[in-house]
Amino acid sequence: MSQAFALIDKLAAEADLSRAELRLLLGARDESSADRLFEKARQARHAVYGRDVFIRGLIELTSYCRNDCLYCGIRKSNLKAERYRLTKEQILDCCAQGHELGFRTFVLQGGEDPHFTDDVVADLVSAVKAAHPDCAITLSLGERGRDSYRRWFEAGAERYLLRHETRNEAHYASLHPAAMSLRDRLECLEVLRDVGYQVGCGFMVGSPGQTLDHLVDDLRFVKEFEPHMVGIGPFIPHQDTPFAGEPAGTLELTLFLLGVIRLLLPQVLLPATTALGTISPTGREMGVLAGANVVMPNLSPVAVRKKYLLYDNKICTGDEAAECRFCLQRRIGGIGYDVAVTRGDHAGFSCQQAIASA
Ligand code: 5AD
Ligand code: FES
């Protein structure tokens, strides 16, 4: 048996591999080892979540951002980016439409926009929760302090996505301006968990300067931090950023990492991301077949979608929410999986809640 096969079997049996073993596995991967990995990853996800794929309605609240991440199309230095903010009414309309379409989780995402103060966000979260008490609210609004995170949690937000982007200090520094630090990012993730959120971290695959050793750092971090969600997708260059000329991350490596993450954390909520669907027409389906169990179609009003471009050629920017919903139904059904009309909580969540309230 090849070395990669032996490592995959060990990973599947023990849900763990050492740093050195992960490095060997990533270095030795090929088509046949990927097939074996995906097979094991599907077995692991079927044992926990069956054939359900959870959907999250993504609402992009604001394209204003005070940050200047070198990879991101809505960075503040990009003077060509068109800026918009959704109103509370627009956001509630998106949720109402999403609810009709079977969404039971709304992800409120945006740039780090000072307009969205603690009060504004808390009021928004309460309003969405009051209108849809059967739904989970996920926030993805970047780095804030404990008090902000706590207020929003108390208003009814239960999940928070904050990708760590890379677990390597020097690599983090090469992707971000000096004002940002990996330490702050990791501190936010700790605080979010401490406040009580189901937390998602994650990273880009193939970001400029990334090595396999960096990815091993990311995988060890994911295993040790044990988040409820892990969002990974290929880096895709945006024409009006310093990384315009850099190559995109590959489909092959992203899928392989999805399989590895599923086996490291069998219960994790793992999206097949829009970026994966952007680098390949069937990227999201392949992501599900590699171990992903979540898709996050866009519910933002069509009028603003082309203004929330983190990278070039983003898919679905001209489609109505209903079109994406049915398109995904067809795509997921086509590979033998079912779109679930549920909140889609982490498998450990209800028992954690029960323990907390006992
Ligand atoms: N390519 C791929 N993903 C990107 N993101 C931001 N810019 C890009 C890009 N150019 C990702 C980051 C961020 C998430 C919201 O989108 O990982 O955390
Ligand atoms: Fe948007 Fe297919 S998911 S058009």
Side-chain angles (χ1 to χ4, degrees), residues 80-128:
K80 291 195 191 159
E82 288 185 65
R83 308 291 173 173
Y84 72 89
R85 278 182 194 114
L86 297 183
T87 64
K88 183 174 170 184
E89 289 63 42
Q90 284 177 304
I91 296 163
L92 287 170
D93 279 353
C94 291
C95 293
Q97 200 188 355
H99 196 268
E100 283 278 298
L101 290 169
F103 290 94
R104 295 296 177 267
T105 291
F106 300 116
V107 181
L108 309 183
Q109 185 177 79
E112 292 196 7
D113 178 355
H115 167 84
F116 284 87
T117 59
D118 291 0
D119 285 347
V120 169
V121 175
D123 175 64
L124 193 58
V125 169
S126 309
V128 173

Side-chain angles (χ1 to χ4, degrees), residues 71-72 109 163 165 204 234-236 310-311:
Y71 45 82
C72 184
Q109 185 177 79
R163 290 190 180 177
E165 311 297 357
M204 287 178 291
F235 160 75
I236 303 173
L310 309 185
Y311 46 80

Side-chain angles (χ1 to χ4, degrees), residues 51-220:
R51 290 188 163 264
D52 281 351
V53 172
F54 300 138
I55 50 173
R56 320 297 197 196
L58 181 64
I59 304 171
E60 295 152 339
L61 305 188
T62 172
S63 66
Y64 286 88
C65 191
R66 70 184 174 97
N67 271 342
D68 219 14
C69 307
L70 276 77
Y71 45 82
C72 184
I74 64 168
R75 67 200 299 265
K76 75 164 179 238
S77 297
N78 181 9
L79 302 179
K80 291 195 191 159
E82 288 185 65
R83 308 291 173 173
Y84 72 89
R85 278 182 194 114
L86 297 183
T87 64
K88 183 174 170 184
E89 289 63 42
Q90 284 177 304
I91 296 163
L92 287 170
D93 279 353
C94 291
C95 293
Q97 200 188 355
H99 196 268
E100 283 278 298
L101 290 169
F103 290 94
R104 295 296 177 267
T105 291
F106 300 116
V107 181
L108 309 183
Q109 185 177 79
E112 292 196 7
D113 178 355
H115 167 84
F116 284 87
T117 59
D118 291 0
D119 285 347
V120 169
V121 175
D123 175 64
L124 193 58
V125 169
S126 309
V128 173
K129 201 72 189 177
H132 305 290
D134 55 337
C135 294
I137 301 175
T138 304
L139 296 178
S140 179
L141 298 171
E143 295 184 17
R144 302 291 282 249
R146 180 183 289 267
D147 292 344
S148 312
Y149 289 152
R150 191 185 296 126
R151 276 224 35 215
W152 302 341
F153 184 76
E154 283 164 2
E158 299 151 281
R159 308 182 186 145
Y160 204 102
L161 303 180
L162 182 66
R163 290 190 180 177
H164 63 284
E165 311 297 357
T166 170
R167 182 58 187 80
N168 180 279
E169 298 266 358
H171 189 224
Y172 191 94
S174 73
L175 299 178
H176 299 96
M180 294 175 71
S181 77
L182 179 59
R183 237 183 95 185
D184 288 348
R185 186 59 61 111
L186 298 180
E187 170 74 17
C188 283
L189 285 167
E190 292 292 346
V191 169
L192 286 161
R193 153 162 300 166
D194 191 50
V195 168
Y197 286 96
Q198 297 186 53
V199 179
C201 64
F203 55 91
M204 287 178 291
V205 178
S207 56
Q210 185 180 62
T211 63
L212 291 183
D213 287 306
H214 295 152
L215 288 169
V216 171
D217 291 343
D218 289 316
L219 293 172
R220 286 309 313 163

Side-chain angles (χ1 to χ4, degrees), residues 269-316:
L269 295 163
L270 192 60
T273 55
T274 304
L276 192 56
T278 297
I279 56 164
S280 160
T282 54
R284 287 169 299 175
E285 292 91 316
M286 286 189 267
V288 170
L289 291 170
N293 68 329
V294 174
V295 282
M296 300 173 61
N298 202 319
L299 280 184
S300 304
V302 174
V304 304
R305 285 196 192 189
K306 288 201 165 60
K307 302 180 186 171
Y308 197 85
L309 294 183
L310 309 185
Y311 46 80
D312 290 338
N313 306 315
K314 184 178 169 196
I315 53 169
C316 300

Side-chain angles (χ1 to χ4, degrees), residues 284 297 316 319 323-325 327-328 331:
R284 287 169 299 175
C316 300
D319 301 292
E323 291 177 65
C324 284
R325 173 68 178 83
C327 165
L328 276 176
R331 287 168 180 264

